[in-house]
């Protein structure tokens, strides 16, 4: 790549699918789709995408758009994204065909059994098709991607439980190409601007969604919030070098839990130990071999979260946050005070370390307590064995951790009672 060259933008598979679906609908109901079709991205940018493979038969019409990723290295570049439209009794029905992946495991934004067309592209497709669908008519759109199944093997889909093809993705509609070094430098510029504005405590978030949640939901100062993308370690070092004193790492648990394993470039092609980390921490909190194996077998961190919640082991997220914070401080040789907050996709706090609470407070934000499901009310009889935590079975450990009052021998209570739990000593008559 020559110096100074402007990198060419592309468009997402979601916009290709929307354009193909709109063209096929036009062709089905009007008999003409033209050579290109105009669609609007989720951010209001208008695109005119050229069509190919345009066909019409008795009761059906088909159109394709070739995916153009611009100068971004994308394995889906050059694939035809096709849509076939047929009349339906009502509504806009979207289905998958050859080359479109199908979701087979829970924890993804798309339900099990559905084609892997993410929520934002679905909305765009429905909007664009609805704009040309005649009043009172319905349409069934079947998507396909010739060559999609083969290309999908080079993506993360198989590990996520998406089988048979690629996913239709894209939250902005535009592919912004950039070399990794240039990208990292642009991210560091955010740190420099924040420091120039007088901020010595920054909130580092993985991306736009984390930034929106941090600012709009929790009220962190917008100028103190910096995106890291996958380059968490690079941004931590930049903060230390630019005179930042405190950093709050705030974001989706499936991304930041990697830090607890010492992974500071969080792209999955570099390293991914999310499930292994959660499984190890769960085991340390008393999870049995079956639960550990179930966590390791999950397709996503969301799936692992469901297991932890079911097993009353959500405190594992606090330990993950504390471990991630300690790893981050070590990564920058203790030059920063670091706290970590793990949230779910909706922005609810799942786990945090004590340092995170303090840093957030100094930024004017009071973090809520993570929600922890309580034990069902009742009296529990727990066998404590010889009275050492090392010999507790997982079920007994969870009951003791969730108890409001513990009754037992003094030496057993001293070893097992969690903080802030009332104790009653059981004395021999």
């Amino acid at each position: 790549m020559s110096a100074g060259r402007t990198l060419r933008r592309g468009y997402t598979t979601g916009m290709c699918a929307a354009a193909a679906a709109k063209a096929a609908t036009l062709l089905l109901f009007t008999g003409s789709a033209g050579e290109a079709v105009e669609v609007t991205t989720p951010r209001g940018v208008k695109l005119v995408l050229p069509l190919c493979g345009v066909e019409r038969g008795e009761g059906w019409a088909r159109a394709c758009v070739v995916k153009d990723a611009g100068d971004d290295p994308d394995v889906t570049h050059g694939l035809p994204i096709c849509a076939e439209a047929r009349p339906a009794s009502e509504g806009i029905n979207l289905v998958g065909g050859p080359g479109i992946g199908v979701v087979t495991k829970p924890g993804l934004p798309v339900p099990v059994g559905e084609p892997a067309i993410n929520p934002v592209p679905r909305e765009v497709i429905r909007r664009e098709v609805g704009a040309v669908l005649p009043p009172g008519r319905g349409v069934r759109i079947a998507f396909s991607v010739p060559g999609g199944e083969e290309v999908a093997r080079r993506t993360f889909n198989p590990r996520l439980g998406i089988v048979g093809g690629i996913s239709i993705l894209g939250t902005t509609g535009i592919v912004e190409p950039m070399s990794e070094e240039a990208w990292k430098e642009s991210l560091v510029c955010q740190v420099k601007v924040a420091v120039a504005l007088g901020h010595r405590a920054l909130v580092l978030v993985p991306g736009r969604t984390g930034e929106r949640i941090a600012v709009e939901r929790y009220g962190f100062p917008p100028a103190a919030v910096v995106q890291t993308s996958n380059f968490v370690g690079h941004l931590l070092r930049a903060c230390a070098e630019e005179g930042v004193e405190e950093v709050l790492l705030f974001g989706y648990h499936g991304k930041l839990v990697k830090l607890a394993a010492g992974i500071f470039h969080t792209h999955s092609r570099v390293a991914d130990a999310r499930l292994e980390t959660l499984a190890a921490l769960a085991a340390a909190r008393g999870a049995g071999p079956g639960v550990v194996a179930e966590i390791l077998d999950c397709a996503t961190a969301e799936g692992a979260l469901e297991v932890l919640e079911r097993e009353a082991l959500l405190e594992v997220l606090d330990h993950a946050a504390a471990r991630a914070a300690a790893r981050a401080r070590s990564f920058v040789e203790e030059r920063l005070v670091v706290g970590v907050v793990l949230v779910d996709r909706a922005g609810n706090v799942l786990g945090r370390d004590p340092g995170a609470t303090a840093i957030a407070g100094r930024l004017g934000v009071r973090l809520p307590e993570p929600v922890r499901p309580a034990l069902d009310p009742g009296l529990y009889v727990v066998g404590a064995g010889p009275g050492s935590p090392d010999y507790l079975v997982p079920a007994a450990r969870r009951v003791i951790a969730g108890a409001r009052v513990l009754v037992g021998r003094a030496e057993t209570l001293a070893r097992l009672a969690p903080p802030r739990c009332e104790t009653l000593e059981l004395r021999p008559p």
Side-chain angles (χ1 to χ4, degrees):
M1 186 179 298
S2 61
R5 176 191 166 194
T6 300
L7 298 176
R8 189 172 63 86
R9 291 199 232 178
Y11 34 85
T12 62
T13 51
M15 294 313 300
C16 295
K22 184 176 186 178
T25 303
L26 276 170
L27 186 60
L28 177 67
F29 289 104
T30 70
S32 175
E35 296 182 354
V37 66
E38 182 180 276
V39 287
T40 305
T41 72
R43 295 188 173 181
V45 177
K46 294 189 181 301
L47 302 175
V48 178
L49 304 186
L51 302 174
C52 65
V54 178
E55 298 179 81
R56 187 169 185 260
E58 185 64 33
W60 63 272
R62 184 173 184 267
C64 302
V65 173
V66 174
K67 165 67 185 291
D68 183 353
D71 286 326
D72 193 64
D74 186 333
V75 295
T76 65
H77 177 76
L79 285 178
I81 313 297
C82 302
E84 182 180 285
R86 293 179 181 270
S89 57
E90 60 180 2
I92 300 171
N93 305 307
L94 308 181
V95 299
I100 299 289
V102 175
V103 177
T104 65
K105 293 184 179 181
L108 296 172
V110 177
V112 171
E114 290 287 313
I117 306 172
N118 271 19
V120 173
R122 283 177 186 260
E123 292 178 12
V124 174
I125 292 165
R126 291 182 183 280
R127 184 192 70 214
E128 294 294 339
V129 170
V132 296
L133 186 65
R137 304 299 298 272
V139 67
R140 177 183 184 271
I141 307 288
F143 294 98
S144 61
V145 180
E149 185 170 4
E150 180 182 351
V151 168
R153 297 191 187 102
R154 291 182 274 150
T155 72
F156 208 54
N157 277 9
R159 288 192 61 187
L160 294 176
I162 300 172
V163 300
I166 67 166
S167 300
I168 301 300
L169 305 170
T171 56
T172 66
I174 301 292
V175 176
E176 296 280 1
M178 192 176 293
S179 73
E180 185 167 294
E181 289 306 312
W183 192 357
K184 286 158 70 173
E185 182 56 36
S186 70
L187 295 171
V188 171
C189 286
Q190 302 171 96
V191 176
K192 295 179 178 179
V193 170
V195 171
L197 293 173
H199 292 284
R200 292 296 180 269
L202 298 186
V203 182
L204 302 190
V205 298
R208 292 189 182 95
T209 300
E211 181 178 12
R212 178 180 54 78
I213 292 170
V215 173
E216 297 178 8
R217 177 164 179 175
Y218 291 102
F220 285 104
V225 179
V226 170
Q227 291 186 32
T228 68
S229 184
N230 289 304
F231 313 114
V232 180
H234 187 76
L235 269 293
L236 282 170
R237 286 200 174 111
C239 286
E241 290 165 4
E242 295 296 331
V244 175
E245 297 169 358
E246 297 182 305
V247 165
L248 181 63
L249 290 159
F250 179 102
Y252 175 55
H253 75 286
K255 177 72 73 171
L256 295 189
V257 76
K258 296 181 181 183
L259 308 184
I263 298 169
F264 289 94
H265 187 314
T266 58
H267 196 291
S268 58
R269 66 177 167 80
V270 175
D272 183 6
R274 295 168 300 164
L275 300 177
E276 291 79 1
T277 302
L278 291 173
L281 293 173
R285 301 302 298 170
V291 173
V292 171
E294 189 175 356
I295 292 172
L296 291 172
D297 196 42
C298 288
T300 65
E302 289 286 339
L305 183 61
E306 293 174 7
V307 177
L308 294 175
E309 182 172 9
R310 186 196 70 211
E311 297 294 322
L313 284 168
L314 286 178
E315 73 270 12
V316 162
L317 279 305
D318 288 327
H319 295 281
R323 191 171 180 83
R327 287 277 196 156
R329 289 191 293 271
S330 177
F331 185 81
V332 293
E333 300 169 332
E334 306 295 333
R335 289 185 291 166
L336 295 171
V337 175
V338 181
V340 175
V341 179
L342 307 178
V343 301
D344 62 17
R345 291 189 187 277
N348 301 306
V349 174
L350 297 175
R352 63 186 187 181
D353 72 302
T357 304
I359 296 171
R362 288 189 283 274
L363 285 166
V365 174
R366 182 177 179 180
L367 291 172
E369 291 286 340
V371 176
R372 298 286 182 261
L375 289 170
D376 292 333
L379 177 66
Y380 295 80
V381 179
V382 175
S388 169
D390 294 337
Y391 293 98
L392 290 176
V393 298
R397 188 188 293 269
R398 290 195 293 273
V399 169
I400 291 171
R404 296 177 60 185
V405 181
L406 282 181
V407 180
R409 296 171 58 193
E411 56 268 32
T412 301
L413 294 173
R415 292 173 178 172
L416 301 182
R420 298 183 297 278
C421 179
E422 183 182 350
T423 59
L424 296 175
E425 182 182 347
L426 199 63
R427 298 179 180 178

